[in-house]
Amino acid sequence: MESQLPLIYGLSFLAAALTFAFAVYLYLWVKRQKTQNAKIIEVAALIKNGANTFMRREYKILAVFAGVAALLILILLPQPIWKGRFSENLSMALAYLMGTALSAVAGKIGILVATHANSRTAEATRHGIKPAFLIGFRGGSIMGLTVVGFSLLGVAAVLLLTGDSTILLGFSFGASSLSLFMSNSGGLWDNSKKYIESGHEGGKGSDAHKAAVVGDTVGDPFKDTAGPSINTQITVVSSLMSALFVAFSLFG
C-alpha cells in the first residue's frame, strides 16, 4: 500500500489540474459569447458590482472569524497545546485556514462565472433555447468542476504534507465554517427586499418596488451561486474524508 501512495497522490493532483484546465476552457468559451443588448449589459454590470460589493464586505467579516477560530484551534486541537505537540496543533490550524481559503475562492469563482454567464444566457435566448441552454449549462459546469477540483486538491495536499488523516478535520471545519455563513446569506437578501418593499427604506410605491427588484436581482447570483458552491465543496470534502477514514481503519 505504501508503495502505491506516490501514484495515488500523482493521479489526484493530475485529476485536479485537468479539472481546472477544463474549467478555464469553459470560462473562456462563456466569456467569448457576445452581449450586444445595451440594457442587458447595463443590468449585468449592476448585478456584478452589487454582488461583488456584498461578497467583499462579508469576506472581511469572515476573515476575522477565521482568524479567531484558527487561534483557538492552535491552542486546543487536536489536544491542548500544553498537553500535546505544537506541530500537530499548528498543522490543524493551517489546514483549517486552507479549507476556509479554498471555500472562499470557490464562492468568488461562482460569482465571477454567474455574472458572465447570466447576461450571455439572456442574450442567447433571442436566438433560441439551444444556445441559451448551452451557455447556462457550461457556465454552471465551471462552478461544479472547480469545487470538486479544490476539494480533491485540498484533501490530497493535506495528506501529503502531514500524513495524518486527523488533520483533515481542520480542513473540513474550515470549509464548513464558511458554508455556515454563506448559507444564511440568502435569508439576508430576502429580508432586505421585504424591508425595502414595506416602505422602511426608499419610500413606498413604485420606487420602493424597483429598489427591491434591483436588490433581489443582485442577491440571487450570490445566494444561488456562491452559497451553493461552498455548500457543495464541504459535501465533497466530507465524502472524500468518509472514504479515507474507512480506508485508514481497514489498512492503517
Side-chain angles (χ1 to χ4, degrees), residues 62-71 73 90-102 158 167-178 181:
L62 291 177
V64 176
F65 172 83
V68 173
L71 181 61
I73 291 173
L90 179 61
S91 296
M92 184 76 80
L94 292 176
Y96 167 81
L97 291 175
M98 182 179 180
T100 304
L102 289 181
V158 170
I167 304 300
L168 284 174
L169 294 173
F171 180 80
S172 177
F173 181 50
S176 60
S177 62
L178 202 65
F181 290 93

Side-chain angles (χ1 to χ4, degrees), residues 16-32:
L18 291 175
T19 298
F20 293 140
F22 188 52
V24 170
Y25 163 76
L26 292 179
Y27 171 73
L28 294 176
W29 182 89
V30 169
K31 197 173 180 180
R32 283 198 303 268

Side-chain angles (χ1 to χ4, degrees), residues 9 13 87 91 94-95 98 153-165 167-168 171:
Y9 283 127
F13 290 124
S87 60
S91 296
L94 292 176
M98 182 179 180
L153 176 65
V155 170
V158 170
L159 278 179
L160 177 64
L161 294 174
T162 65
D164 186 356
S165 60
I167 304 300
L168 284 174
F171 180 80

Side-chain angles (χ1 to χ4, degrees), residues 220-231:
D220 278 342
F222 186 88
K223 70 184 181 70
D224 294 336
T225 303
S229 68
I230 295 174
N231 290 338

Side-chain angles (χ1 to χ4, degrees), residues 173-244:
F173 181 50
S176 60
S177 62
L178 202 65
S179 173
L180 175 67
F181 290 93
M182 291 298 193
S183 299
N184 293 325
S185 295
L188 177 61
W189 283 110
D190 291 337
N191 290 335
S192 64
K193 188 181 94 167
K194 293 175 182 177
Y195 181 78
I196 294 172
E197 287 177 328
S198 66
H200 293 293
E201 185 79 19
K204 295 183 178 181
S206 60
D207 290 340
H209 179 69
K210 289 178 181 178
V213 170
V214 171
D216 189 49
T217 306
V218 169
D220 278 342
F222 186 88
K223 70 184 181 70
D224 294 336
T225 303
S229 68
I230 295 174
N231 290 338
T232 303
Q233 180 160 343
I234 182 55
T235 302
V236 175
V237 170
S238 300
S239 300
L240 289 173
M241 287 179 60
S242 299
L244 286 169

